[in-house]
Amino acid sequence: MADDVMTDQGSPVALARGRGSRAVKDGAAPRPVPRQPDHEVIVVGAGISGIGLAIELRKAGIESFLLLERAGDVGGTWRDNRYPGIAVDITSFTYSFSFEQNPDWSRVFAPGAELQRYAQRVAAKYGVYPKVRFRTEVDKAVFLEDRDLWEIHLKGGERLYSRFLIGASGGLISPKKPDIKGLEAFKGIVMHTGFWDDSVELTGKRVAVIGTGATAVQMVPSIASRVAHLDVYQRTPIWVLKKPDAEIPAWLKSAFRTLPIVQRGVRVCTDALSEAVMVGAVIYYRQIPGLVRWAESAGKNNLLEQIPNDPALREKLTPKYGFGCKRPTFSNDYFKTFTRDNVELVTDPIECITERGIRTRDGQERQIDVLITATGYRVFEKGNLPSFEVHGRDGLELGQFWDEHRYQAYEAVSVPKFPNYFGMLGPYGLTGTSYFKMVEAHSIHAVRCIKEARKRAMTRVEIGQGPHERYFQDVQRRQQNTVFPNHSCASSNSYYFDKHGDAPMLRPSTTMEMLWRAKHFPMKHYRFSRAQAGSTADLPDRATAGAAAFV
């Protein structure tokens, strides 16, 4: 891995951090709307989505673009999350860009720090860093209908203008605090796993963890051996399968470097396995229910192997909802951690947090020094997706529209009345295998639309209401085959579900179908038109000018 990308003062990271920090003072008069946009494309976010999109833009010959990143480096989730034990929960061979395989992963399931270095290396290799403006946060974006421009309002007062706007801020950016009485009264240390404080020493401390999702599954075994005592508060147990993890030997890494086809072959195998477990079992539950039954049996066997002599403890750790209702995960030591003398699994509901600890409804108060909240993130909730206000045509705001009318988007990318706007993590956009696959598909989709607008010399591209509605209806029809409405998901407390009772996180299709549709969706589903106001001097006249009809 290119560690020098992080540390060398002359590296792309260091150089990019020193540029683009300009802002205007609060209260300063905004500049007039320019005749031409500052950039053809502005992308909000420089995590995996932003990096992938930047690479696809450059591949298409589009160089007038800028990434706006609120932090000081690329990487997104893998930059921000540093809790002990963090690692990918999909094999590293699958969890990476298809066009940029890494032969140097240390393990089959790479540690989180390696994913961050991978993001930095890819960003440096493909020239993304010079296109990023760091420490820049977007407040809101407004579509100027007379000019077909997006006006991006930055926190601090500055405004930028672009023809196209792409939201790539990801989903895991707003940590969810537990709604528990007395949290503010606690006198010890409180930290969320998404804001891990490396200066906090856990050795010899009494620690409590609230939450038993995928993050806790990784973190709890990593800290149990060094704390004096660990209380883990569980509301809902999680399905945990065996983790086929291992250190990758030097000879195999050498084979990957000298014969890339070897690593591609390994990726094909891990893709197929991930697709079967995380897509086939969940998305095609009605067609092949045996996969879910197999996964549940495997999860129970994993629990039995780790806790062979305590049926009461196993019962507490056994989910009562179906496999797939909540994101499952992998671990070979999570369950056995609860057999340690210094670890207690607490399933009694929390009544309140006191100055010195946590009191459960049975009246018992457990004293602690450090409280760790592993309570996840807000995902499909207003204020998180999108992470800033997006005002389209007729004053419609995207977050409010989704909040009131259900989460929906054509191919998870476009929404009517939001011209020239594309989302990277949209409703029903993520496949169960790899976030990278979604990024590649949605980048292809967005760039196809931008290229077509260029080809037609048009300044506006907007998805038609008819295609959008038909796509949403098809998604809802397909959802009926998934595990979500069919397998006792009501008790899962899963972030897959939103306030409407929908499960807009996962796309009800295979990864292959998602990629095929990104490359072949009919361009006639979009409407192309040209601005009436003076923002088109850079565009040549074309005989094809005019609006393509909605279909």
Side-chain angles (χ1 to χ4, degrees):
M1 305 296 291
D3 291 343
D4 58 325
V5 172
M6 290 192 294
T7 59
D8 188 341
Q9 293 300 308
S11 72
V13 178
L15 293 173
R17 281 175 176 164
R19 62 180 294 278
S21 59
R22 57 192 172 88
V24 297
K25 295 181 179 179
D26 292 337
R31 64 187 174 106
V33 177
R35 181 177 176 83
Q36 296 302 322
D38 301 311
H39 304 275
E40 186 175 7
V41 183
I42 284 183
V43 181
V44 181
I48 300 302
S49 294
I51 293 170
L53 185 57
I55 293 170
E56 187 67 23
L57 286 167
R58 303 200 80 170
K59 178 181 173 183
I62 300 171
E63 291 292 338
S64 178
F65 69 90
L66 177 70
L67 278 65
L68 303 177
E69 171 55 54
R70 65 179 182 176
D73 199 356
V74 301
T77 296
W78 298 106
R79 175 199 61 225
D80 295 339
N81 282 265
R82 303 183 309 278
Y83 61 83
I86 183 172
V88 296
D89 58 2
I90 296 292
T91 71
S92 308
F93 309 115
T94 289
Y95 196 80
S96 50
F97 287 117
S98 63
F99 55 84
E100 188 61 34
Q101 292 292 287
N102 174 28
D104 294 316
W105 298 120
S106 65
R107 306 189 64 84
V108 175
F109 292 79
E114 289 187 31
L115 265 295
Q116 172 61 2
R117 291 197 293 271
Y118 172 77
Q120 292 172 318
R121 181 176 65 79
V122 173
K125 177 177 178 178
Y126 288 90
V128 177
Y129 272 109
K131 295 288 189 178
V132 187
R133 178 171 164 181
F134 292 107
R135 306 197 186 283
T136 303
E137 192 165 356
V138 175
D139 185 41
K140 68 177 180 180
V142 179
F143 186 68
L144 306 181
E145 297 186 47
D146 62 331
R147 295 174 181 260
D148 287 350
L149 294 179
W150 278 100
E151 182 178 69
I152 295 101
H153 297 236
L154 307 182
K155 291 189 176 179
E158 185 182 355
R159 297 181 187 181
L160 298 176
Y161 296 87
S162 67
R163 179 75 66 213
F164 300 97
L165 175 65
I166 302 178
S169 53
L172 305 182
I173 60 173
S174 303
K176 183 183 294 184
K177 293 182 179 180
D179 185 17
I180 301 174
K181 179 182 176 182
L183 181 61
E184 303 302 325
F186 181 60
K187 299 297 186 181
I189 296 171
V190 180
M191 58 181 173
H192 190 282
T193 54
F195 293 114
W196 191 264
D197 187 348
D198 293 313
S199 68
V200 175
E201 180 54 67
L202 299 180
T203 302
K205 299 291 180 62
R206 297 168 300 177
V207 179
V209 174
I210 297 178
T212 52
T215 295
V217 169
Q218 295 181 339
M219 179 186 63
V220 165
S222 298
I223 66 174
S225 62
R226 55 192 172 104
V227 302
H229 188 80
L230 178 63
D231 298 316
V232 181
Y233 289 82
Q234 172 186 276
R235 180 175 64 171
T236 310
I238 183 173
W239 286 106
V240 182
L241 304 182
K242 281 187 177 180
K243 191 173 186 178
D245 193 18
E247 185 176 347
I248 299 175
W251 66 264
L252 186 55
K253 295 180 187 179
S254 177
F256 288 163
R257 283 191 292 270
T258 56
L259 294 170
I261 192 173
V262 175
Q263 188 166 15
R264 288 197 292 269
V266 172
R267 180 184 171 101
V268 168
C269 295
T270 59
D271 280 1
L273 181 60
S274 299
E275 194 84 4
V277 175
M278 308 298 285
V279 177
V282 176
I283 300 303
Y284 296 104
Y285 171 74
R286 277 189 176 178
Q287 290 90 336
I288 41 178
L291 276 177
V292 165
R293 289 195 292 269
W294 169 84
E296 290 175 350
S297 177
K300 291 177 181 178
N301 287 338
N302 187 30
L303 178 55
L304 178 62
E305 288 182 17
Q306 293 189 43
I307 308 178
N309 302 316
D310 193 336
L313 179 58
R314 288 201 306 271
E315 178 64 21
K316 289 181 179 180
L317 290 165
T318 301
K320 304 302 186 290
Y321 57 89
F323 180 89
C325 296
K326 185 175 184 176
R327 183 169 180 86
T329 191
F330 302 85
S331 177
N332 299 328
D333 54 8
Y334 171 68
F335 291 135
K336 70 176 66 173
T337 302
F338 294 103
T339 66
R340 295 178 58 94
D341 292 337
N342 69 327
V343 178
E344 180 182 2
L345 176 67
V346 183
T347 57
D348 290 310
I350 296 174
E351 179 181 278
C352 66
I353 296 174
T354 67
E355 290 187 357
R356 297 182 300 169
I358 299 177
R359 185 164 65 239
T360 48
R361 289 183 189 172
D362 61 358
Q364 183 175 356
E365 181 176 343
R366 296 170 176 83
Q367 294 189 7
I368 56 173
D369 305 304
V370 180
L371 173 57
I372 300 172
T373 59
T375 45
Y377 293 82
R378 298 165 55 211
V379 185
F380 280 92
E381 298 181 33
K382 186 179 179 183
N384 185 67
L385 278 174
S387 59
F388 53 94
E389 291 184 8
V390 179
H391 297 268
R393 289 197 297 111
D394 303 329
L396 189 63
E397 201 281 310
L398 184 56
Q400 182 176 351
F401 169 74
W402 278 340
D403 189 62
E404 295 177 356
H405 301 284
R406 304 170 71 185
Y407 283 87
Q408 52 189 291
Y410 175 75
E411 296 288 348
V413 173
S414 302
V415 181
K417 292 197 173 183
F418 293 89
N420 297 1
Y421 176 83
F422 307 97
M424 293 299 288
L425 176 59
Y428 305 96
L430 183 64
T431 67
T433 53
S434 171
Y435 192 85
F436 284 83
K437 293 180 183 292
M438 181 203 72
V439 169
E440 291 186 37
H442 293 180
S443 296
I444 290 169
H445 186 125
V447 172
R448 277 189 68 201
C449 291
I450 294 171
K451 286 173 63 179
E452 187 68 18
R454 281 179 148 204
K455 177 181 176 182
R456 300 188 187 195
M458 296 295 159
T459 59
R460 179 184 298 193
V461 52
E462 180 179 353
I463 187 61
Q465 187 69 38
H468 167 268
E469 290 180 357
R470 287 195 295 275
Y471 178 79
F472 186 53
Q473 290 166 3
D474 182 57
V475 164
Q476 294 306 311
R477 177 185 61 79
R478 290 180 177 219
Q479 283 289 93
Q480 299 311 305
N481 292 320
T482 70
V483 72
F484 303 121
N486 293 299
H487 203 40
S488 306
C489 287
S491 62
S492 63
N493 294 310
S494 171
Y495 69 77
Y496 284 173
F497 293 89
D498 66 11
K499 60 175 283 187
H500 305 288
D502 294 331
M505 174 66 75
L506 295 185
R507 183 184 184 108
S509 78
T510 64
T511 302
M512 288 290 290
E513 181 187 346
M514 175 185 67
L515 289 167
W516 190 91
R517 291 174 71 122
K519 296 175 182 178
H520 299 97
F521 67 84
M523 201 57 70
K524 65 182 181 181
H525 284 181
Y526 281 89
R527 179 179 181 178
F528 295 83
S529 59
R530 190 163 179 163
Q532 300 301 311
S535 62
T536 61
D538 61 326
L539 295 172
D541 291 329
R542 294 293 300 267
T544 57
F550 284 117
V551 178

